[in-house]
Every structure is written in structure tokens, then in C-alpha cells.
Amino acid sequence: MGKRMKIILRQDVLNLGEEGDVREVAAGYARNFLFPKKYAAPYNQHALTILGQRKKKIEKRKEEKRILAQGMKDRLQEEKLVFVMPAGDNGKLFGSITNGQIAEELQKKGYAIEKRKIEIPEHHIKMVGQYTATVKLYENEEAELNIKVEAQVQEKKEEKPRKTGRRERAAGKADVEHASAGTETAKTDAAAERAEAVAAPANGESPLAAEDEAGAADGAEGESEPSNS
């Protein structure tokens, strides 16, 4: 294990602490990063004296943070994040929702919260439904955030026209040919009727009427012959 040393933070450092906090860190981390950046000072009497002089200012800043955290808690508990995700018929998501995605949605609403401060059931959400996430704020302050996960509505695909099979195409062709034959027959009958109409006597009498007249004439001649008696 490497050598470690005590330090006093001169300002807030992410994942380490706030101004005035005493921490123990790796000596290399302190000398190569914290001290050159003036984020911290070695833990000694001189640093403790300076810390004592700044104690009131440090405490005032902490009180301001507490007030801000309380206000953020009240606002967060009024919020409700809604996620619309692709899901199966059983409600299982095609993917999952993580604390990183929740942090991104909160950022869109004006909240600057690190994802590591957001705790969700089983570290991720995999089903549609209602959930509650815990958001850790300043010191021991926490907020309960309501989350709703809905299934995305899938658009129905249009059914493609069914391809016609060989038998159906053959049957259709036969129907067309049958219809064509019927049309030709009708045309032939119509032509025959027109021919008969043309062959009729000019006076408009039908052939049957002409035969009746001829028969009547023969009968008249028979009656007019003189009797031999």
C-alpha cells in the first residue's frame, strides 16, 4: 500500500469533500494534483490556523447549500419524469433506463445533478410502470423523484398485396377467354339479324306474309274456273 497523508481542502473537490474538510489521500495524488491546483494544503499547524480564520465563512457557505438543497428537494418531489421506450407485449423494455438517462432528463429541466447521486431500483429499470428514484442532495438531504415508463406505440406495417398464384392466373385467363368468346358470339348473332333484315321485301312485309298472299291467290284462281257440269 502506498504512502498516505492528511490534507485540508481549500475548496470543494468533487468526490472528495468540501472546503475545510480534513481528508487522508495518497501522497502522490496530493503532491501531483491537489497541491499544484491549490485544491488542498498539507495538514499542519499553519493550515489549521488559516482554517480557523475562515471557519465562519465556510459555515455560512454550508448553510446556503442547505437552503438550496431544501428548495431543490421540494421542486424535485413535484416533478414527474416520463420515459417512452420500445417494449414487448409483456411490458419488458427493449433496453433499460439508467441513472445517467435520468440525470440527462433532469438537466433538460434545469437541474444539475450528478448521476452517481441518483439511485433507482436494482440500478436500472427494465419494465414499464411507475417507479421512485432517490436523489441525494446536500449532506443528508434526499428527494423522492417520480418516474413513469410507458411502452412506445408500434406503427402497424401495411400488408403487401398477395402475389397471384399460377392456378389463379390460369383461371383468370380462362374467364377472360370465355368472356371474349361470348362477345364474339353476340356479335355474330347481331350480324345475322342485320342480314335477315336486309334480305326482307322492300315493302317491309315478312317472308311469311308473302307466302300467305301467294296461297290466297292460288285459292282464288281455283274458285274462278268454270264448272264442267
Side-chain angles (χ1 to χ4, degrees):
M1 185 175 178
K3 188 176 179 181
R4 300 181 69 81
M5 63 184 300
K6 271 188 176 183
I7 61 167
I8 298 176
L9 293 177
R10 300 174 65 178
Q11 56 184 288
D12 297 352
V13 178
L14 183 64
N15 299 330
L16 189 58
E18 297 178 277
E19 180 184 6
D21 290 348
V22 177
R23 294 287 185 268
E24 187 175 286
V25 298
Y29 176 55
R31 293 193 182 99
N32 298 326
F33 180 73
L34 296 176
F35 296 163
K37 296 285 186 181
K38 300 187 183 300
Y39 290 155
Y43 182 84
N44 53 36
Q45 190 58 47
H46 177 67
L48 288 172
T49 300
I50 295 174
L51 178 61
Q53 294 171 352
R54 292 183 55 80
K55 189 172 183 180
K56 287 185 179 180
K57 289 184 178 180
I58 292 171
E59 187 54 40
K60 183 180 179 181
R61 285 186 60 198
K62 288 185 176 182
E63 184 59 29
E64 290 173 352
K65 290 179 181 179
R66 293 185 188 103
I67 294 171
L68 289 173
Q70 182 60 51
M72 184 177 287
K73 175 182 178 178
D74 295 339
R75 294 197 306 275
L76 282 172
Q77 295 189 153
E78 293 295 323
E79 292 283 359
K80 186 172 186 178
L81 299 185
V82 179
F83 291 87
V84 181
M85 300 280 289
D89 294 337
N90 60 354
K92 187 175 182 180
L93 302 180
F94 298 147
S96 63
I97 297 172
T98 64
N99 57 356
Q101 291 168 278
I102 294 172
E104 289 176 4
E105 288 299 313
L106 287 174
Q107 188 174 18
K108 293 176 184 178
K109 293 177 175 287
Y111 299 95
I113 299 174
E114 302 169 50
K115 66 179 183 179
R116 68 185 181 86
K117 292 185 176 181
I118 301 172
E119 296 180 356
I120 52 180
E122 298 180 1
H123 306 293
H124 49 254
I125 298 171
K126 288 189 173 182
M127 297 287 293
V128 298
Q130 303 277 354
Y131 296 89
T132 301
T134 301
V135 181
K136 294 186 176 297
L137 302 172
Y138 185 66
E139 293 182 337
N140 296 323
E141 201 71 74
E142 295 180 349
E144 300 297 318
L145 177 64
N146 294 314
I147 298 171
K148 184 178 181 181
V149 183
E150 298 178 349
Q152 187 177 45
V153 178
Q154 300 291 333
E155 294 183 0
K156 293 183 178 180
K157 296 182 179 179
E158 294 183 2
E159 294 184 1
K160 295 181 179 180
R162 188 171 61 86
K163 292 183 178 180
T164 307
R166 290 183 179 179
R167 291 183 179 179
E168 293 177 347
R169 288 197 297 270
K173 185 177 180 181
D175 291 341
V176 171
E177 291 176 351
H178 180 72
S180 298
T183 303
E184 291 298 326
T185 302
K187 288 181 179 179
T188 303
D189 292 343
E193 290 176 0
R194 287 197 297 272
E196 290 178 0
V198 171
N203 59 6
E205 294 181 351
S206 67
L208 292 175
E211 290 178 1
D212 291 342
E213 289 180 359
D218 291 341
E221 289 178 359
E223 291 177 356
S224 61
E225 289 180 359
S227 173
N228 293 329
S229 58

